[in-house]
Amino acid sequence: MRSFIKFLLPLMLVGALAACTTTSTSSSSGSDQPAAQNYQEPDYYLDFDDIMIPKEIEYQNEGSYKLDNTKFRASIMKFKGRVEIPELVQYFINNMTKDNWTLVSNNKASSVQFLTFEKYNKSCVIEIDDTFASATTTIFAVEVKDAGDLKKK
């Protein structure tokens, strides 16, 4: 009986070590796949290079408008998406501040929230309408070109 135990103990030890190496090999290859699957599209800039748009809202061609001439640039950008309104409001406040915009006002009327931002030669109003099942976000932005010339006149 003792010789059987002496033979069985090393065999179980080798089996346990083999199982450990197999488990660690499969888990290391498994950890590579979720990293690739967790890749998400980044947030982006659209008509203005200092107004970041979250990837969760989708651009709508209908109702959007862009005007660019020698004196000013204006844009109305419409977006739709299923988002939490307080998180979207905080997103715009945080990112506009990072892009050197100053929050002038933050007003809420019923289901519509208005954020107003200013810069030296730019102005932006963001309207977030909490409609049923999705939010409609409209960004009105204006940039006055050659603002230094306007001060001289």
Side-chain angles (χ1 to χ4, degrees):
M1 181 78 165
R2 278 190 162 182
S3 62
F4 179 72
I5 292 176
K6 286 182 183 179
F7 174 74
L8 186 61
L9 187 61
L11 187 62
M12 287 176 45
L13 185 61
V14 169
L17 289 174
C20 289
T21 58
T22 304
T23 304
S24 66
T25 306
S26 66
S27 69
S28 68
S29 67
S31 67
D32 291 342
Q33 286 179 338
Q37 291 173 353
N38 287 338
Y39 174 76
Q40 295 179 351
E41 291 293 320
D43 297 338
Y44 62 97
Y45 294 99
L46 194 59
D47 291 342
F48 284 77
D49 62 355
D50 54 358
I51 301 174
M52 185 171 279
I53 310 298
K55 63 187 169 293
E56 291 83 10
I57 58 176
E58 186 177 317
Y59 181 73
Q60 305 292 304
N61 281 325
E62 190 175 326
S64 294
Y65 179 78
K66 183 177 180 181
L67 174 67
D68 195 353
N69 63 30
T70 57
K71 301 233 183 245
F72 67 93
R73 176 170 60 148
S75 182
I76 299 172
M77 299 173 276
K78 288 201 172 262
F79 302 90
K80 237 180 188 174
R82 293 178 57 110
V83 292
E84 294 291 328
I85 302 304
E87 291 175 9
L88 185 60
V89 168
Q90 197 58 50
Y91 173 90
F92 279 117
I93 291 172
N94 292 343
N95 284 293
M96 295 292 276
T97 302
K98 286 179 189 174
D99 285 327
N100 299 316
W101 289 87
T102 301
L103 179 65
V104 176
S105 67
N106 180 356
N107 301 310
K108 184 173 182 175
S110 184
S111 65
V112 181
Q113 185 131 7
F114 293 93
L115 302 169
T116 307
F117 296 93
E118 287 184 348
K119 265 189 173 184
Y120 165 67
N121 61 335
K122 296 180 182 180
S123 213
C124 179
V125 175
I126 300 174
E127 174 189 354
I128 302 170
D129 188 358
D130 188 8
T131 55
F132 179 73
S134 69
T136 302
T137 304
T138 307
I139 301 174
F140 306 90
V142 176
E143 174 186 13
V144 177
K145 296 179 181 179
D146 297 326
D149 292 343
L150 293 176
K151 288 183 180 179
K152 294 177 187 176
K153 295 181 180 180

